[in-house]
Amino acid sequence: MPSLYAVKTLPSQEYFASGHRACPGCGEALAVRQVQKILGRNVIVASATGCMEIVSSPFPLSSWEVPWIHVAFENAAAVAAGIEKGLEILQRKGKIKKQKITVLAMAGDGGTADIGLQALSGALERRHNILFICYDNEAYMNTGVQRSSSTPFGASTTTSPAGTHQAGQLTPKKNMPAIAVAHGIPYVATASASYPLDLAAKVRKAAATRGPAYLHILSVCPSGWGIPGDATIKLGRLAVQSGVFPLYEVQNGKYKITVPVQELLPVQAYFQPQRRFRHLHPETIEQISQDIREKWQELKKRSDKTN
Amino acid sequence: MLEIRFHGRGGQGAVTSAELLAEAALTEGKHAQAFPSFGPERRGAPVTSYCRIDELPIRLRTNISAPDIVLVLDPSLLKTVNVTDGLKETGTLIINSQKGPEHFVHNHKLHKIATVDATGIALQILGRSITNTILLGALIRTIAPVELSSITAAIQKRFDQKNAALNIQALQQAYQETKILNMPDYPTQENQFADAPAATGENAPVQPQAQSLWIELELGCLITNPGNSKTYYTGSWRSFYPLLNKDRCIKCGICWILCPDAAYTQDTEGFYPVDLNYCKGCGICAHECPTGAITMLQEKEAGV
Ligand SMILES: Cc1ncc(C[n+]2csc(CCOP(=O)(O)OP(=O)(O)O)c2C)c(N)n1
Ligand code: SF4
Ligand code: SF4
Ligand code: SF4
Ligand SMILES: [Mg+2]
């Protein structure tokens, strides 16, 4: 358990300015703020559309204190790949100074796991020296809570509603970190703004990686999940402590759980405050709980093997 | 054609109001449209919605900039939003407020001003401060663009039985309690009140009205002033604000690192004072402070 005061070691400089229009208590905006603090000044961002693009750039205003490009929904990774190659060539030809510039592509879960997956897979496979961050709030929030392939089983959204015919999302959450790992890239990690120090360490490692790095950040969305704005951090913690969203990293194929959990909390502790899970029957919750425990054991085994 | 503009906050039902009114007009065989102003604004942010009603088909598809009627669902909006912007001289202003309409006479010729304590009625009958249907009661009492019965029918169609009954009860109470000022009967000029709309409250951030008509665009719509969102004060979205008790603060910085709006910065003494220009009042800091040094307090409503 790091000291309470340890967060003071994080940079005081802000690169994601106040005045953005995210909902009160938005966990996605908080994660963006924490990430940019670590990446600092020398970064170029390609941002797929989604909540974070919309709330940070209502023309002619911008919350970005670093070069930032708004790109379409599907091609953040492709644009970042192009920027990275462009920088490399300009530096080689001596047209710009040789220096370390992080090229970041960011997208929501829709922009990552659904429509942006092809561009992402291509960029990872071609070994571009970019960092891709998925801000996963588990649905298409910007357009009003439609399901994505990253929406967890059972969650109610406007296109996977809970009603008499259906009890929310019918399919399991797509395992994006595993897909990234399957590309054999040097660095993959999960993170959460509820654990700012763990997040900062991972962003540092990811930015220092030569070759592609992938970060998957669970981003609590009070509006889409149906929780009060002040519960954002707590929900992020509960997701980790219940095993719903374990914090780990995969460095050159080696798994490591970075925030160990001695005893998983019952998943009900995480579900109960959220409106999107309110309809779930105890049997369904039990079934989900078993699945989570199995996956957690699997992850622990992998992590133990390499440590 | 009658053009009506609703001012509310994201999540308060300003859009529902406009839709119910349009629905009611349609059942009377009139033509109507209802739509929100689309923007990046989220929950708590000031939002506008619009309704047009006419005997003839309506071809206009634009936002309403010169309304005949303005309805203000949330009195705290008067601090930051210029609600009477473009309101016609023959127009009507209807405000959710405990105060009488004479308190809102300002430097603007109008036909009628009306007030109703919609928040009070909402809390009493609905148990929540959702004022959207209630203001419709005041509207019908003041100007009657549609019949009361058409509105109640629209409410019955929209809500389940229990909620429809409660909303109709609240609407009828508002209809009874609305206070109306006929401006032609009212001596103007001499009577200008200090707390007219756009009065500033204690913590009220001043919203820049940077509405220049001509903006020279950079090639590719480049924004060349990084971080200029700081000129937009999201503090006006807030209904609660954090109060710091310095005696309990251990200067740990948790509030600072967990604020989505970067509203905290450390001062020279090591404390973290909040910048109320940006704080949206989410309550994360108060919830996470390890020593309970932060308390969330309700904002005072402007002019109430
Ligand atoms: C090709 C295309 N399809 C649809 C849209 C509309 N659209 C904009 S943002 C968005 C949802 C974004 O969801 P996600 O990527 O999960 O980000 P979030 O808003 O949840 O942060 C959609 C569907 C678009 N801009 N482009
Ligand atoms: S909808 Fe969710 S992710 Fe989007 S701004 Fe609001 S809280 Fe943040
Ligand atoms: S979290 Fe609480 S104790 Fe820590 S700096 Fe903020 S107000 Fe002080
Ligand atoms: S309530 Fe606290 S955490 Fe929320 S915006 Fe205000 S200062 Fe930030
Ligand atoms: Mg999303």
Side-chain angles (χ1 to χ4, degrees), chain A residues 2 20 54 59 62 77 98 112-113 149 158 160 177 180 183 196 265 272 284:
Chain A
H20 65 71
I54 295 294
F59 191 82
S62 164
K98 276 218 160 87
T112 303
S149 59
T158 53
S160 64
H183 284 76
L265 291 179
Q272 193 273 327
T284 320

Side-chain angles (χ1 to χ4, degrees), chain A residues 93-208:
Chain A
K93 290 186 170 173
K95 298 246 163 112
I96 58 171
K97 203 175 79 195
K98 276 218 160 87
Q99 59 180 315
K100 161 98 180 119
I101 300 171
T102 306
V103 180
L104 168 68
M106 58 180 275
D109 48 304
T112 303
D114 292 346
I115 195 170
L117 187 57
Q118 181 184 354
L120 172 59
S121 178
L124 300 184
E125 169 270 321
R126 294 190 303 272
R127 294 294 184 265
H128 284 285
N129 190 15
I130 63 166
L131 164 58
F132 190 102
I133 299 185
C134 171
Y135 291 100
D136 183 6
N137 54 16
E138 304 194 319
Y140 292 54
M141 293 308 178
N142 181 52
T143 39
V145 203
Q146 294 85 21
R147 76 171 286 277
S148 78
S149 59
S150 197
T151 302
F153 175 78
S156 179
T157 69
T158 53
T159 51
S160 64
T164 40
H165 294 290
Q166 185 181 333
Q169 175 92 335
L170 298 170
T171 49
K173 183 180 175 74
K174 188 184 278 185
N175 189 342
M176 264 315 297
I179 292 174
V181 171
H183 284 76
I185 60 173
Y187 192 76
V188 175
T190 60
S192 158
S194 298
Y195 295 82
L197 293 167
D198 179 70
L199 181 143
K202 286 167 175 169
V203 174
R204 279 198 192 101
K205 271 191 197 170

Side-chain angles (χ1 to χ4, degrees), chain A residues 8 18 22 33 62 142, chain B residues 42 228-229 251 259 261 280:
Chain A
K8 295 178 82 163
S18 304
R33 176 181 166 234
S62 164
N142 181 52
Chain B
R42 306 281 146 147
N228 61 354
S229 67
K251 306 179 180 176
C259 172
D261 291 279
K280 291 174 188 155

Side-chain angles (χ1 to χ4, degrees), chain A residues 5 7-8 18-25 33-34 37 51 59-65 142 223 229-230 237, chain B residues 41-43 217 226-230 232 234 237 250-252 256-257 259-262 278 280 282-284 288:
Chain A
Y5 297 91
V7 296
K8 295 178 82 163
S18 304
H20 65 71
R21 307 189 190 190
C23 306
R33 176 181 166 234
Q34 291 181 356
K37 267 182 177 301
C51 275
F59 191 82
L61 300 181
S62 164
S63 292
W64 292 90
E65 311 246 21
N142 181 52
S223 305
D230 65 356
R237 257 192 320 262
Chain B
E41 262 65 335
R42 306 281 146 147
R43 198 155 41 85
L217 297 185
N228 61 354
S229 67
K230 278 177 276 192
Y232 180 83
T234 49
W237 300 15
I250 56 168
K251 306 179 180 176
C252 65
W256 160 74
I257 199 64
C259 172
D261 291 279
Y278 302 114
K280 291 174 188 155
C282 68
I284 285 181
E288 298 302 321

Side-chain angles (χ1 to χ4, degrees), chain B residues 4-293:
Chain B
I4 302 150
R5 191 170 68 205
F6 296 76
H7 291 274
R9 292 189 179 278
Q12 278 183 343
V15 183
T16 311
S17 275
E19 285 173 3
L20 287 169
L21 187 59
E23 183 80 37
L26 290 175
T27 59
E28 295 180 2
K30 294 178 176 138
H31 296 270
Q33 50 178 228
F35 56 99
S37 154
F38 284 107
E41 262 65 335
R42 306 281 146 147
R43 198 155 41 85
V47 294
T48 40
S49 61
Y50 309 96
C51 177
R52 283 194 179 94
I53 300 175
D54 202 350
E55 303 294 336
L56 300 167
I58 304 168
R59 302 203 192 285
L60 268 177
R61 289 292 183 274
T62 58
N63 288 355
I64 294 172
S65 54
D68 300 283
I69 303 170
V70 164
L71 281 98
V72 183
L73 273 63
D74 184 327
S76 69
L77 287 170
L78 298 174
K79 284 201 273 193
T80 48
V81 179
N82 184 7
V83 295
T84 54
D85 189 33
L87 180 57
K88 287 181 187 147
E89 284 197 0
T90 51
T92 295
L93 176 63
I94 301 173
I95 300 176
N96 166 16
S97 172
Q98 294 173 354
K99 291 186 171 178
E102 64 285 356
H103 286 271
F104 298 99
V105 178
H106 59 294
N107 213 349
H108 190 113
K109 283 201 189 117
L110 283 181
H111 177 48
K112 283 180 183 180
I113 300 179
T115 57
V116 66
D117 179 15
T119 306
I121 296 174
L123 289 175
Q124 186 200 327
I125 296 177
L126 307 175
R128 300 185 298 157
S129 66
I130 304 279
T131 56
N132 57 350
T133 48
I134 301 179
L135 261 273
L136 292 176
L139 170 69
I140 293 173
R141 176 69 184 279
T142 315
I143 228 147
V146 295
E147 297 294 326
L148 191 60
S149 56
S150 311
I151 285 278
T152 50
I155 290 175
Q156 269 155 349
K157 201 168 142 192
R158 175 113 181 187
F159 298 104
D160 63 39
Q161 220 174 8
K162 184 174 141 243
N163 280 311
L166 288 174
N167 273 288
I168 290 169
Q169 188 194 342
L171 177 129
Q172 280 165 342
Q173 186 167 336
Y175 182 86
Q176 298 298 335
E177 293 180 1
T178 300
K179 299 182 209 109
I180 302 167
L181 190 68
N182 284 312
M183 294 298 283
D185 308 341
Y186 197 77
T188 45
Q189 300 310 326
E190 318 79 84
N191 287 290
Q192 264 160 38
F193 286 78
D195 45 3
T200 47
E202 202 179 342
N203 294 328
V206 183
Q207 205 61 252
Q209 298 282 333
Q211 291 291 335
S212 60
L213 290 173
W214 185 266
I215 302 174
E216 207 61 56
L217 297 185
E218 297 284 338
L219 206 60
C221 287
L222 267 186
I223 300 171
T224 51
N225 188 359
N228 61 354
S229 67
K230 278 177 276 192
T231 60
Y232 180 83
Y233 295 141
T234 49
S236 68
W237 300 15
R238 183 177 62 235
S239 38
F240 290 86
Y241 69 97
L243 185 73
L244 170 66
N245 176 355
K246 284 194 177 176
D247 294 340
R248 298 188 81 152
C249 175
I250 56 168
K251 306 179 180 176
C252 65
I254 302 257
C255 51
W256 160 74
I257 199 64
L258 295 181
C259 172
D261 291 279
Y264 286 107
T265 31
Q266 200 171 26
D267 67 12
T268 47
E269 284 177 75
F271 287 111
Y272 292 87
V274 66
D275 187 340
L276 288 172
N277 281 328
Y278 302 114
C279 165
K280 291 174 188 155
C282 68
I284 285 181
C285 52
H287 196 280
E288 298 302 321
C289 171
T291 66

